[in-house]
Amino acid sequence: MVRRSILLLAAAVVALYFTIILFMLNPLHGAKHAYYGSGYMNHFAFRHDPPINWCNELRWRNPPSPDVVALVSYPGSGNTWLRYLLQQVTGIVTGSIYMDYGLRVHGFPAENVTDGSVLVVKTHEAPPIEPDKFKSAILLIRNPRDAILADFNRLHKGHIGTAPKSAFKKKTHEHKKTADWSTYVSTQLTVWESLHNLWLTKYIGPVHIVFYEVLVKDTKSTLQGILDFLSYNVTETEMSCALANKEGIYRRKKKHQDFDPFTAEMYKALDQVRNKVLAMVMDYKRRHSNTVTLTKLDTNRIL
C-alpha cells in the first residue's frame, strides 16, 4: 500500500513537471492575461511556430546604458511587433516590466528585465512615481478602435489569435474575468485616454511619439526615427534585413472581415476620445517642437 502511494506520488510529480514545461512552451495563442503576470494560460496545447530568422544574433547591451527607455502603449497597439522590429534591426534584446512566458520562449528572452542592459522596456502603465525609472519614453499610439479590439482578442485568444464572434455577444458573469463587449469598450476607452494623457502631460522626460498606422505604412522612416531618438546607429544592411523580415510571427491575422462589433454609439465615443488625444499630441508638439514632427496632414492619416 505504501509502495503504491509512493508510485502515485512520483507519477503526480512527473505530470506536474511536464505540465510546467508545456506551460513555459505554450505558444503566443494562449497567453491570456500574460501581460500582467496575474493569470495562467487556460490550456497547454503545444504547436510548432515557424522559426524566427534574426538578422543578428540577439545580445544584451554591453556595457549597459545608464538611461532606461520606456516603450509605452495601451495593450493591443503593436508593442510586441515594434519590439520585434527593434530587435531585428539592432540585435539588442528588449525588456518588459511584465513576465510573459509565451513571449520569453518566442523571441523575447529579456522579459521582466527593466535595466539598461536592454534597448527599451515595454510598459502599459502610467508614468512611474520614481522620476529616474525611465529617462525617456517612446509612446506608441494606435487608433483606439483597433487597439481595444486587438486587446479584446488577446484576452480571448492570446497575442496573435482572434476572438470568436460569440465572445462579442456574451454577458458579464461574476466568475469570469472578461466583461461583456459593450462594458469592455466603455471601460477601456477611458483607460486608453488616461494612459496617453498621463504620458503626454505628466511625464517630465522626453517622449518620442510613434503612430502605429504610420509605422505600418512607412516602417523604414518610422523605425529610423526611433533609432535616432535612441541615439543608436545601424547599417543600411541591418535596416534592409529588418525590413525584409518585418512581418515576423507577432502580428495578428485579421479575421471576421464581414463583422463589425462596434455600434454607432461606440463610434461616436471613440471619435471624441481619439480627437482629444490628438489635441494632446499637437499641444505636446507645440511645447516640444524638437521632439515631435507632426503636421496637420499627418493627423488626417493616423488614428
Side-chain angles (χ1 to χ4, degrees), residues 129-144:
I129 297 176
E130 307 91 336
D132 295 331
K133 175 66 175 178
F134 297 120
K135 292 294 185 180
S136 60
I138 298 165
L139 180 60
L140 178 61
I141 306 176
R142 187 181 188 182
N143 185 311

Side-chain angles (χ1 to χ4, degrees), residues 17-160:
Y17 173 79
F18 282 104
T19 297
I20 293 174
I21 294 298
L22 288 174
F23 173 80
M24 293 292 290
L25 294 176
N26 197 72
L28 304 176
H29 286 285
K32 283 191 176 183
H33 310 291
Y35 280 155
Y36 315 104
S38 61
Y40 293 94
M41 301 174 192
N42 67 336
H43 66 278
F44 301 105
F46 181 77
R47 58 179 278 272
H48 293 285
D49 285 303
I52 302 171
N53 297 314
W54 293 109
C55 297
N56 295 291
E57 184 176 351
L58 295 183
R59 62 192 185 280
W60 304 81
R61 271 197 162 184
N62 189 19
S65 171
D67 300 330
V68 181
V69 182
L71 178 56
V72 187
S73 71
Y74 171 87
S77 298
N79 198 305
T80 301
W81 183 49
L82 181 51
R83 288 176 65 191
Y84 165 77
L85 290 174
L86 290 171
Q87 290 188 169
Q88 278 288 23
V89 75
T90 67
I92 303 296
V93 294
T94 60
S96 173
I97 69 169
Y98 313 106
M99 171 54 82
D100 188 320
Y101 290 102
L103 292 180
R104 186 175 184 178
V105 296
H106 287 86
F108 298 93
E111 282 293 287
N112 204 218
V113 177
T114 61
D115 58 27
S117 65
V118 297
L119 188 67
V120 295
V121 176
K122 165 186 174 178
T123 178
H124 299 313
E125 312 296 329
I129 297 176
E130 307 91 336
D132 295 331
K133 175 66 175 178
F134 297 120
K135 292 294 185 180
S136 60
I138 298 165
L139 180 60
L140 178 61
I141 306 176
R142 187 181 188 182
N143 185 311
R145 175 195 182 280
D146 297 329
I148 290 172
L149 179 58
D151 198 48
F152 188 77
N153 283 323
R154 179 190 65 82
L155 289 172
H156 286 271
K157 289 294 182 179
H159 285 282
I160 58 176

Side-chain angles (χ1 to χ4, degrees), residues 268-280:
K268 182 178 179 180
L270 287 164
D271 287 341
Q272 290 175 343
V273 172
R274 179 194 62 190
N275 290 335
K276 287 173 67 175
V277 170
L278 278 176
M280 294 178 199

Side-chain angles (χ1 to χ4, degrees), residues 217-237:
K217 293 178 180 178
D218 191 358
T219 306
K220 181 177 181 179
S221 295
T222 307
L223 201 53
Q224 186 59 59
I226 296 172
L227 294 171
D228 292 342
F229 180 73
L230 295 172
S231 298
Y232 196 99
N233 298 319
V234 299
T235 66
E236 188 62 37
T237 299

